[in-house]
Amino acid sequence: MSDSTDDCEAVSPSCPVSATIYGYTPNLGGNAFYAVVFAICALTQLYYIIRFWRLWKVFSIMTFLGCAGECCGYIGRLFLHKNPWNGAALPIQLVLLMVAPSFLAAALYTTLRTLVQYFGPEHTRLPARFWTWPFVTADLIGFFLQCGGGVMAATAEKNPSLGSIGNTIMIFGVSFQAVVMALAGVLTVDFTLRIGRRHGARVFVDLPKDLKTFLLAMMAAFILILARCIYRIPEMAGGVGGPLMRKEADFMIFDGLMILLAVVLQSAVHPGLFAGAMQDCTTNLYGSKAPLVGYERSESHELGQA
């Protein structure tokens, strides 16, 4: 930005909207709709936290944090609609909308170990104990990188050099998150193929209807979040205020809509409602003993054995 806009606090002839980082006034209707839907999903997750505390509390808490972050981020964009030069709303919404999907991805990772236990750890190349926390930890590393980079990048108007460093850190953080998700996806596909080769494709057809719905919903949510991460890489590569960042329609579709659909799936098809086959059984799909069923139950069991 030029020096003449350094002290801008509201739109005026000397402080046009085109000189802001986004270069546009955020759409009122679209951003309000997103904020409301994310708020409803956050409240839904609060209910799930209480109802499924014993078995699925981590999934519910992570999804709640993601929903709340997205909701607050879009509220920040509503403030920018009122005043595109709002110096407080800009960094808040920039950081929140950048990092909130990390919690949604972490929620999906918490279901992986339970799935491995249910279908049988003998089908995986990765020990069952490594199917959750390594991915959650890596996801949180990406979260902190994006959060720290976002805070620095938000200063781009006042301190271009610091903003550039922050933007680079954000690019690395979201790229790291995308790589971790891709790795989890590859391992999951390999796990699925090994089950199919050993037992035939019929094993998936014969799954309980609720469990099939859950698996398809979580797979769709995973792809949506990964697609959003991939979109963010070239967007951030253009720099804060770069060409892609100044296209609201692209952002509302490839970031907002992707995450909105993922959140709706994670709220409507909650594992507590649709994964009863995994959380209630004492044996896995093939009849062998699987005492560690359910993510939170697995952790409790191991602590008790320590």
Side-chain angles (χ1 to χ4, degrees):
M1 300 300 171
S2 64
D3 293 339
S4 62
T5 62
D6 285 349
D7 298 322
C8 286
E9 295 182 354
V11 175
S12 68
S14 60
C15 297
V17 173
S18 60
T20 62
I21 283 180
Y22 289 125
Y24 61 79
T25 300
N27 179 270
L28 177 62
N31 286 283
F33 173 75
Y34 282 6
V36 169
V37 174
F38 283 121
I40 293 173
C41 290
L43 292 175
T44 301
Q45 292 299 327
L46 279 177
Y47 165 73
Y48 289 148
I49 290 173
I50 297 172
R51 179 175 176 182
F52 301 112
W53 178 261
R54 188 171 66 92
L55 291 175
W56 298 105
K57 59 180 177 290
V58 178
F59 179 95
S60 302
I61 291 172
M62 290 294 183
T63 306
F64 166 76
L65 292 174
C67 294
E70 290 286 334
C71 178
C72 292
Y74 281 99
I75 290 175
R77 286 179 65 84
L78 292 177
F79 280 107
L80 288 180
H81 168 82
K82 183 177 181 181
N83 177 15
W85 286 101
N86 189 318
L90 176 63
I92 291 174
Q93 62 84 38
L94 179 66
V95 173
L96 287 177
L97 295 179
M98 194 71 196
V99 305
S102 297
F103 293 108
L104 303 176
L108 295 179
Y109 295 143
T110 64
T111 68
L112 292 178
R113 183 177 179 183
T114 304
L115 288 170
V116 170
Q117 291 167 344
Y118 179 72
F119 285 97
E122 66 273 15
H123 302 106
T124 176
R125 302 176 191 274
L126 192 67
R129 65 182 180 276
F130 293 137
W131 270 89
T132 289
W133 281 112
F135 292 112
V136 172
T137 301
D139 187 73
L140 292 179
I141 291 174
F143 162 79
F144 286 115
L145 288 171
Q146 292 174 67
C147 191
V151 172
M152 296 169 65
T155 68
E157 287 184 296
K158 306 297 183 182
N159 192 331
S161 60
L162 184 62
S164 178
I165 294 173
N167 190 69
T168 301
I169 294 174
M170 273 203 299
I171 293 172
F172 180 79
V174 73
S175 299
F176 181 74
Q177 183 183 29
V179 169
V180 171
M181 292 193 73
L183 176 61
V186 169
L187 288 171
T188 302
V189 169
D190 177 70
F191 178 62
T192 303
L193 292 175
R194 288 163 68 88
I195 294 174
R197 284 196 296 266
R198 181 174 295 188
H199 301 281
R202 189 71 196 177
V203 67
F204 301 110
V205 176
D206 293 336
L207 288 174
K209 182 178 179 180
D210 282 355
L211 183 55
K212 284 191 287 187
T213 300
F214 170 73
L215 293 175
L216 290 173
M218 295 304 102
M219 180 177 66
F222 180 89
I223 293 172
L224 289 165
I225 296 171
L226 179 58
R228 173 266 179 189
C229 290
I230 294 173
Y231 157 75
R232 278 290 199 169
I233 294 172
E235 185 211 34
M236 297 309 302
V240 175
L244 287 180
M245 187 174 284
R246 297 170 75 87
K247 295 181 179 180
E248 184 177 26
D250 289 1
F251 171 80
M252 295 296 283
I253 294 172
F254 297 111
D255 189 293
L257 184 60
M258 296 296 102
I259 298 302
L260 185 82
L261 293 175
V263 161
V264 169
L265 286 171
Q266 288 179 244
S267 298
V269 191
H270 190 277
L273 300 174
F274 287 83
M278 295 192 301
Q279 69 184 33
D280 295 330
C281 293
T282 56
T283 59
N284 69 15
L285 185 61
Y286 309 106
S288 60
K289 291 296 182 181
L292 306 183
V293 179
Y295 170 70
E296 283 77 11
R297 187 182 298 174
S298 299
E299 297 301 314
S300 300
H301 179 91
E302 288 184 349
L303 290 175
Q305 295 296 320

